[in-house]
Amino acid sequence: MGYAQLVIGPAGSGKSTYCSSLHEHCTTIGRNINIVNLDPAAENFDYPVAMDIRELVSLEDVMEELGLGPNGGLLYCMEHLEDNLDEWLTEELDNYTDDDYLVFDCPGQIELFSHVPVLRNFVEHLQRKNFKVCVVYLLDSQFITDVTKFISGCMASLSAMIQLELPHVNILSKMDLAPRKKDIEDFLYPEPQVLLSELNQRMAPQFAKLNKSLIELVDDYSMVSFVPLDLRKSSSMSYVLAQIDTCIQFGEDADVKVKEFDQEDD
């Protein structure tokens, strides 16, 4: 059985930086991971690329040959990937053993994980190949500066959770760049009534019922929570990785190491 992370999130949320830092962290602790580029527009990488969608299709070629813009071209590339799951992707996955750990660095177009079925079909193909997959959703911590942006981020994450139907870890990225961490920490364990009060203060009165429904959705189901990630601290990356590994049960079938004690050590 293989293991995989599907790294998604809005453009500029730090997905590639996360993948690079994760690879560096795993190299340091002696753990092997393979990072896969699923962004046909990507050019430069700070990590070794194990698989690259650009070997199948590139955004530059699609825009030039079909006259599409960046967004339309990228959707075309991802649909082309979907059409080649049984050929190109299956052939690439055959190069890895059952215990390999893959990290898929995805494009940042939000429609790919909100309503377009490309990534959902991609994940189902991985599952048919006996991979356990966890979604890693990144959101820029500098985006979470007030209650309206927090609710917006929650709804975007919830949309991806419903679309992909997978174990889900939400990460607040770029915590090392956040100017006022205390303001962000208030949203890690939010109080529903405080959120509702702040939301009503910022929104027009006619949105009061909508605000109440949104807060109840976030609070009642407790489906959306965020884990802060500070790349300056290896302990922060270790904690995030432990959360993801728990979701996909990585390492649970490993042999337990038992130390034998001599009698004088007792």
Side-chain angles (χ1 to χ4, degrees):
M1 177 172 291
Y3 304 89
Q5 294 183 26
L6 191 72
V7 183
I8 64 174
S13 59
K15 296 182 294 297
S16 294
T17 302
Y18 163 80
C19 291
S20 174
S21 299
L22 178 63
H23 181 270
E24 182 179 344
H25 176 78
C26 289
T27 300
T28 300
I29 64 176
R31 178 169 162 180
N32 184 47
I33 65 169
N34 303 281
I35 303 182
V36 180
N37 172 46
L38 283 187
D39 187 352
E43 296 180 353
N44 302 311
F45 303 96
D46 293 328
Y47 54 78
V49 180
M51 293 164 49
D52 194 343
I53 189 178
R54 296 176 305 167
E55 296 176 358
L56 174 68
V57 61
S58 74
L59 179 61
E60 183 179 359
D61 292 341
V62 168
M63 291 175 62
E64 181 179 345
E65 294 178 12
L66 301 180
L68 297 174
N71 287 331
L74 190 138
L75 286 175
Y76 178 90
C77 291
M78 298 307 291
E79 289 171 353
H80 185 68
L81 169 65
E82 183 181 13
D83 292 338
N84 287 271
L85 292 177
D86 291 328
E87 298 178 6
W88 180 79
L89 183 60
T90 297
E91 183 178 337
E92 292 289 336
L93 291 177
D94 287 342
N95 296 323
Y96 298 92
T97 62
D98 288 343
D99 293 329
D100 278 332
Y101 198 111
L102 304 181
V103 179
F104 293 92
D105 187 3
C106 298
Q109 271 66 15
I110 194 170
E111 54 264 45
L112 293 175
F113 44 85
S114 63
H115 59 277
V116 175
V118 172
L119 286 184
R120 182 184 179 94
N121 293 333
F122 178 85
V123 164
E124 290 176 352
H125 184 83
L126 289 178
Q127 292 173 326
R128 287 195 295 271
K129 294 298 179 182
N130 210 24
F131 275 84
K132 286 188 174 181
V133 187
C134 175
V135 172
V136 180
Y137 184 95
L138 271 72
L139 188 65
D140 189 341
S141 61
Q142 299 176 86
F143 179 81
I144 306 296
T145 55
D146 59 57
V147 65
T148 55
K149 293 179 180 179
F150 172 73
I151 294 298
S152 175
C154 287
M155 293 301 103
S157 172
L158 188 57
S159 174
M161 294 172 70
I162 293 172
Q163 170 74 359
L164 297 174
E165 295 183 351
L166 288 172
H168 210 93
V169 175
N170 298 302
I171 295 177
L172 280 183
S173 62
K174 305 183 184 180
M175 285 294 291
D176 48 315
L177 302 178
R180 299 180 60 183
K181 292 185 175 59
K182 181 60 174 66
D183 293 342
I184 296 172
E185 289 172 357
D186 291 339
F187 293 111
L188 296 179
Y189 307 100
E191 290 291 337
Q193 293 305 316
V194 175
L195 290 180
L196 181 58
S197 176
E198 293 181 4
L199 200 57
N200 286 334
Q201 290 176 15
R202 290 178 173 270
M203 305 286 286
Q206 60 264 35
F207 295 110
K209 289 185 178 180
L210 175 62
N211 294 341
K212 186 173 183 293
S213 298
L214 289 173
I215 297 299
E216 288 176 349
L217 176 65
V218 172
D219 180 56
D220 290 351
Y221 294 94
S222 299
M223 293 181 67
V224 181
S225 60
F226 292 93
V227 180
L229 175 61
D230 188 337
L231 294 180
R232 297 173 302 179
K233 303 176 182 178
S234 61
S235 58
S236 182
M237 179 62 80
S238 295
Y239 180 77
V240 167
L241 187 56
Q243 296 290 312
I244 298 167
D245 289 346
T246 299
C247 288
I248 55 178
Q249 300 176 309
F250 177 78
E252 290 192 359
D253 57 348
D255 294 334
V256 177
K257 296 180 180 179
V258 180
K259 181 178 179 180
E260 296 182 359
F261 292 92
D262 295 331
Q263 185 155 0
E264 63 262 18
D265 294 336
D266 189 20

